[in-house]
Amino acid sequence: MRLSARPIAALVAALALTAGLSITGTPAVARPDDRAAAAEASDVSIAADTYTWKNARIDGGGFVPGIVFNRSEKNLAYARTDIGGAYRWDQAGKRWTPLLDWVDWDRWGWSGVVSLASDTAEPDNVYAAVGTYTNSWDPTNGAVLRSSDRGASWKAATLPFKLGGNMPGRGMGERLAVDPNKNSVLYLGAPSGNGLWRSTDSGVTWSEVTAFPNPGNYAQDPSDTSGYGNDNQGIVWVTFDERSGSAGSTTQDIYVGVADKENTVYRSTDGGSTWSRIAGQPTGYLAHKGVLDSSTGHLYLTLSDTGGPYDGAKGRIWRYDTESGAWTDVSPVAEADTYYGFGGISVDRQKPGTLMATAYSSWWPDTQIFRSTDSGATWTQAWDYSSYPNRSNRYTLDVSSVPWLSWGANPTPPETAPKLGWMTESLEIDPFDSDRMMYGTGATVYGTEGLTSWDSGGTFTITPMVKGLEETAVNDLASPPSGAPLLSALGDIGGFRHTDLDAVPAMMFTSPNLDSTTSLDFAEATPGTVVRVGNADAAPHIGFSTDNGANWFQGSEPSGVTGGGTVAAAADGSGFVWSPEGAGVHHTTGYGTSWTASTGIPAGATVESDRKNPKKFYGFSAGTFYVSTDGGATFTAKATGLPAEGNVRFRALPGTEGDIWLAGGAPTGTYGLWRSTDSGASFTRFSEVEQADSVGFGKAAPGATYQTVFVSAKIGGVRGIFRSTDAGAGWTRINDDTHQWAWTGAAITGDPRVYGRVYVSTNGRGIQVGESSDTDGPGTDPGPGTDPGEPPADADCSVAYTVTNRWSGGFQAEVKLTNTGTAAYDGWKLGWTFPGDQRIGQIWNASHQQTGAKVTVTDAGWNGKVAPGSSAAFGFTGTTTVDGPAPGAFTLAGEACAVG
């Protein structure tokens, strides 16, 4: 994603760089040396409400190219992501702790982590090489961050070049390494022809190793002129042989991997003073990793014909004997039989000669993991063909904690769902525990704690080890007045209906499956009606739901559509307006069985709906606002003089016709926040808002007459998330310097049912949920269709619970709730306690929470109103180890119902 941000004031040109200012706190902002302290948000006095922040749980959702275990302290491990920061493993909670949420708007590129290094001599020390792109997309140079408290606080040394955490080749590494014998010495492999760099003062200053002879020459696509595919991938890994040094003295033997197919490995035997190409090395490939087993003296290389992480058609594994100088091809399969490159590799520090490697680019039918216990002489595989296309797996893959990893797929063998992975560029065996292994994929971190069963012929269980690591890029958010509290539109994994913010959703949106959802909307007056659009390899690019996103059906589309664009739903759900990529703006009635081109509005315009008048839609393009009063058939240009460049997003206020807020622009032009109260005929700018990028609405404050407004903006010289409870007359910053999440400009929305709650998009750190300490009583007003209204005092209800199917370890049940009273339910909440170990898995026509055996099921919004004599029904699948009896008692809002 290309983002607009203010460039830093100046670039440091000297080879030796001064450290950034000291950062304290848990965590805090890292100030580079080229930024005046007065410009920092922490130096500006501004009101700030006390908010607590957490992620809406998804668990994973992006590429994890690197996992690093500390080799001197048990259970100390780190993970890096390409756009979502770095994490530290919390063994007690079996989860990951984010370390770079303090990265701010202007330095958003520092959320891309190209490499990590954990200090074996002093385990409290950790280093991160940060920067997302090496071309103009990233406005700032890269940096090496250093921490002496395991990432709780950081200092920074800004480099005179950029780093590429989201560039081609990002799975190679690690590019950053600490000398295990003299930990004040670090090396960094740079991209873009910038060579090898060294620090001799624990990362405070850096200078180029001018004696290193080869800065690399490989680019993914030399014909690309954007600076992305044609960038030289440079120096890609550094490995020390700790046997060639002693505590306090510089390690003498150092190995370096270079992105050069003919000269991919270099060595120094004099502590980095001189370097030479190792004779006899394999050619025609790039060494993605170089790992040295100090017990055997073997250096292992995983090689591919490309830099990855997506591509790679051929690969090998070679072993170098550091004592004899002999090279041996120890690949697990013949070269002619590879259709993939090798990437991840790890040696078992407890069992010399045991190593594992991955076929990172084996997309079909699955990735492959190889294991050897004899230094690569022989190998076994994680899976083999029993009789094609059937597979025999050494493992079981249990994704019950993150069920969406199956993608809802039911593929034909030899493919399976879920897959063992893809883009598996990092695999690490715990240096203290031969049974524990973790590896990163394009969507999660998988791992096992029973690895050695592989060698004894047994099976071992692989599970997601990704809790706390939230890496989705968020494109759009919606919080309806009833039903699920949140609907999300995400890159790569589509999006979710979040019925419980603290639970992983069972499945992403399907039917259709969209690679990335670019926009979604619901009908304000009938929130069960939802529409979403996005990118996919082929049609359709649009889906509809009539049950608040629980179930979907595919829509048709106009000819020429190539991407999602933006979409809007009429306030009553009677029609839709769609502005897709590849085609002009179109409108439809019903659910898009046919589309008609709209007139008076340019192709590519952003579209939204009025939240009260179902015939009124709005559009924006290149500084001009457009209005339709006939359901999107015709648009008329209205206000002008709005931002003509940069990203612009606008929202109409729920429940009030013609009240529109518009945010956007670019630092080089018009940039800010505007409001219209006459349906876009004119706009008034908020002069105190210097910049704004997204705007949304939430429940009004106690005693307020206007809904709460939330913006991602710059106000009073401070970038942050702001809230107004008086229609923009005053603003309060609600995030702080430890919670900035780099770029937050795509979407923001409050919750119409919970005062103060806000949902904030990030570009790699998932969905941030903010809860205010300034609440009205318990802080929740569920609104219609979510919490039950008061049923009759004697709980006039009857429940029929039927198990409709059973299988080994599971069952399916249907439940019917009947209103036996004389007053209608305005929302309902049904409770029961399972008599055994039964747990609900997937549920339809309702949402649920389960704590132990206790279950609470809430209506889906559209079925919340139940008239006397009428019923509401829902169903679910569940798991159980013993076929226990059905629940025998049910409550509605805590009062007993009849059963039968």
Side-chain angles (χ1 to χ4, degrees):
M1 179 179 290
R2 184 173 183 174
L3 308 177
S4 298
R6 176 173 293 178
I8 56 178
L11 300 180
V12 177
L15 294 180
L17 304 176
T18 304
L21 300 180
S22 176
I23 308 304
T24 58
T26 311
V29 178
R31 290 179 183 161
D33 22 305
D34 54 2
R35 176 68 63 86
E40 292 297 326
S42 57
D43 298 319
V44 177
S45 177
I46 189 165
D49 185 27
T50 303
Y51 261 65
T52 57
W53 295 93
K54 65 180 180 181
N55 275 101
R57 278 191 68 188
I58 294 169
D59 284 17
F63 181 35
V64 181
I67 299 169
V68 174
F69 278 90
N70 186 280
R71 287 179 55 191
S72 62
E73 181 175 319
K74 189 175 182 179
N75 295 322
L76 180 57
Y78 297 89
R80 63 179 172 95
T81 69
D82 48 8
I83 62 172
Y87 294 80
R88 183 184 63 247
W89 179 250
D90 171 21
Q91 177 65 18
K94 296 292 183 73
R95 60 180 296 139
W96 297 95
T97 300
L99 303 177
L100 299 183
D101 282 357
W102 53 265
V103 173
D104 61 18
W105 178 277
D106 288 343
R107 291 179 294 263
W108 59 263
W110 288 10
S111 62
V113 184
V114 72
S115 191
L116 284 172
S118 181
D119 188 344
T120 58
E122 296 183 71
D124 285 345
N125 295 339
V126 63
Y127 300 86
V130 297
T132 301
Y133 298 105
T134 60
N135 60 8
S136 61
W137 299 349
D138 193 331
T140 57
N141 278 6
V144 177
L145 308 179
R146 63 191 188 278
S147 172
S148 58
D149 52 14
R150 307 180 185 223
S153 61
W154 297 88
K155 300 176 183 179
T158 307
L159 299 165
F161 50 82
K162 297 183 180 184
L163 295 176
N166 199 33
M167 295 290 289
R170 59 191 178 274
M172 296 193 282
E174 293 292 319
R175 296 173 182 257
L176 184 64
V178 184
D179 189 322
N181 291 302
K182 190 172 184 178
N183 66 341
S184 59
V185 175
L186 293 90
Y187 282 86
L188 170 67
S192 313
N194 289 304
L196 182 67
W197 287 66
R198 177 170 52 209
S199 172
T200 58
D201 54 9
S202 302
V204 177
T205 61
W206 291 83
S207 60
E208 186 175 6
V209 181
T210 56
F212 194 81
N214 188 352
N217 61 18
Y218 174 81
Q220 180 191 62
D221 180 7
S223 66
D224 179 17
T225 59
S226 70
Y228 185 75
N230 61 333
D231 184 56
N232 175 6
Q233 294 181 17
I235 312 298
V236 297
W237 53 263
V238 179
T239 295
F240 292 91
D241 186 346
E242 64 259 38
R243 301 172 304 167
S244 63
S246 57
S249 64
T250 302
T251 300
Q252 297 300 295
D253 293 354
I254 312 167
Y255 296 85
V256 172
V258 180
D260 178 343
K261 289 187 177 183
E262 301 306 310
N263 310 279
T264 196
V265 188
Y266 287 77
R267 177 178 61 183
S268 174
T269 58
D270 54 11
S273 295
T274 61
W275 301 83
S276 61
R277 177 188 186 275
I278 304 180
Q281 66 181 265
T283 58
Y285 290 99
L286 302 174
H288 278 223
K289 309 277 185 181
V291 174
L292 196 144
D293 187 343
S294 57
S295 297
T296 62
H298 291 150
L299 173 71
Y300 295 95
L301 306 182
T302 46
L303 301 115
S304 175
D305 58 347
T306 70
Y310 309 106
D311 52 1
K314 290 292 178 182
R316 310 304 293 148
I317 300 176
W318 279 72
R319 184 184 72 208
Y320 176 66
D321 189 323
T322 59
E323 299 298 328
S324 68
W327 285 96
T328 307
D329 185 342
V330 294
S331 304
V333 296
E335 185 174 30
D337 293 334
T338 61
Y339 54 91
Y340 47 76
F342 292 96
I345 188 167
S346 182
V347 298
D348 188 337
R349 304 291 175 180
Q350 300 295 317
K351 296 184 176 182
T354 295
L355 65 151
M356 297 178 69
T358 67
Y360 77 90
S361 57
S362 178
W363 287 80
W364 190 93
D366 206 343
T367 199
Q368 184 62 274
I369 300 176
F370 303 90
R371 182 173 171 90
S372 173
T373 57
D374 53 13
S375 299
T378 61
W379 298 82
T380 51
Q381 301 181 167
W383 59 270
D384 294 280
Y385 289 113
S386 51
S387 59
Y388 187 86
N390 298 314
R391 283 167 48 169
S392 173
N393 298 334
R394 295 179 183 271
Y395 63 90
T396 59
L397 184 52
D398 178 4
V399 298
S400 57
S401 63
V402 191
W404 60 261
L405 284 167
S406 73
W407 254 259
N410 186 25
T412 301
E415 283 192 282
T416 61
K419 284 192 172 188
L420 191 58
W422 57 91
M423 297 166 62
T424 50
E425 283 269 36
S426 182
L427 178 148
E428 297 296 329
I429 303 170
D430 187 332
F432 292 92
D433 184 354
S434 297
D435 265 321
R436 181 159 69 171
M437 174 267 290
M438 296 182 185
Y439 66 97
T441 80
T444 192
V445 176
Y446 279 130
T448 183
E449 293 182 334
L451 181 59
T452 56
S453 294
W454 182 316
D455 303 327
S456 61
T459 58
F460 58 95
T461 300
I462 295 175
T463 60
M465 291 185 175
V466 73
K467 185 178 180 181
L469 195 157
E470 297 285 349
E471 202 197 345
T472 49
V474 185
N475 295 325
D476 202 2
L477 297 169
S479 183
S482 63
L486 182 65
L487 307 173
S488 63
L490 306 177
D492 296 332
I493 59 173
F496 294 91
R497 181 175 188 258
H498 303 265
T499 58
D500 182 346
L501 302 174
D502 296 315
V504 178
M507 192 57 57
M508 69 274 289
F509 298 140
T510 59
S511 300
N513 287 81
L514 300 174
D515 298 336
S516 294
T517 301
T518 56
S519 175
L520 57 80
D521 195 16
F522 63 89
E524 190 69 41
T526 56
T529 301
V530 187
V531 61
R532 60 185 168 92
V533 295
N535 302 329
D537 292 336
H541 295 82
I542 187 168
F544 296 93
S545 173
T546 58
D547 58 6
N548 193 241
N551 298 281
W552 294 85
F553 55 93
Q554 300 175 353
S556 65
E557 61 185 46
S559 61
V561 172
T562 59
T566 57
V567 70
D572 63 355
S574 60
F576 304 88
V577 172
W578 184 15
S579 178
E581 294 180 12
V585 178
H586 284 69
H587 70 283
T588 186
T589 56
Y591 294 104
T593 55
S594 63
W595 294 88
T596 304
S598 304
T599 61
I601 187 170
T606 300
V607 296
E608 296 283 353
S609 64
D610 190 86
R611 310 311 285 180
K612 186 174 183 180
N613 185 340
K615 292 295 184 181
K616 190 171 286 188
F617 287 84
Y618 305 112
F620 176 86
S621 178
T624 300
F625 201 80
Y626 298 84
V627 181
S628 172
T629 58
D630 56 7
T634 60
F635 282 83
T636 302
K638 295 292 185 178
T640 59
L642 297 167
E645 58 180 318
N647 295 313
V648 175
R649 298 164 181 84
F650 65 94
R651 290 283 188 263
L653 187 75
T656 302
E657 183 175 350
D659 194 340
I660 305 157
W661 293 62
L662 182 145
T668 56
T670 306
Y671 203 174
L673 181 68
W674 289 259
R675 180 187 176 194
S676 172
T677 57
D678 55 11
S679 298
S682 62
F683 280 84
T684 300
R685 182 173 182 173
F686 290 87
S687 58
E688 68 275 22
V689 180
E690 300 152 59
Q691 301 175 359
D693 291 85
S694 57
V695 60
F697 309 100
K699 183 181 178 182
T705 58
Y706 198 85
Q707 294 178 42
T708 303
V709 183
F710 296 95
V711 292
S712 174
K714 184 177 183 180
I715 302 175
V718 179
R719 255 288 171 185
I721 307 300
F722 292 85
R723 183 184 77 183
S724 176
T725 58
D726 52 11
W731 296 94
T732 298
R733 186 187 183 202
I734 58 174
N735 71 319
D736 54 49
D737 289 354
T738 66
H739 299 92
Q740 301 195 75
W741 317 290
W743 193 78
T744 56
I748 191 170
T749 183
D751 191 312
R753 291 169 271 184
V754 182
Y755 166 64
R757 179 184 290 171
V758 62
Y759 306 104
V760 179
S761 70
T762 74
N763 187 43
R765 272 289 287 124
I767 304 164
Q768 298 295 329
V769 182
E771 303 278 6
S772 175
S773 63
D774 176 20
T775 58
D776 52 344
T780 59
D781 180 5
T786 300
D787 264 0
E790 284 297 324
D794 55 354
D796 291 327
C797 51
S798 176
V799 177
Y801 181 104
T802 305
V803 176
T804 59
N805 194 12
R806 289 189 184 275
W807 56 89
S808 178
F811 65 102
Q812 180 172 324
E814 292 182 356
V815 183
K816 183 170 73 172
L817 168 66
T818 301
N819 184 346
T820 59
T822 58
Y825 303 157
D826 187 13
W828 49 265
K829 184 174 290 187
L830 189 67
W832 71 81
T833 299
F834 279 124
D837 66 347
Q838 303 161 70
R839 292 196 64 84
I840 293 177
Q842 295 189 4
I843 193 168
W844 49 92
N845 298 334
S847 60
H848 83 287
Q849 291 183 322
Q850 182 171 354
T851 303
K854 294 183 178 180
V855 177
T856 302
V857 176
T858 305
D859 66 84
W862 57 269
N863 61 355
K865 293 182 181 295
V866 183
S870 297
S871 301
F874 60 92
F876 63 89
T877 58
T879 59
T880 183
T881 58
V882 180
D883 291 339
F890 300 86
T891 60
L892 184 67
E895 297 186 25
C897 291
V899 180

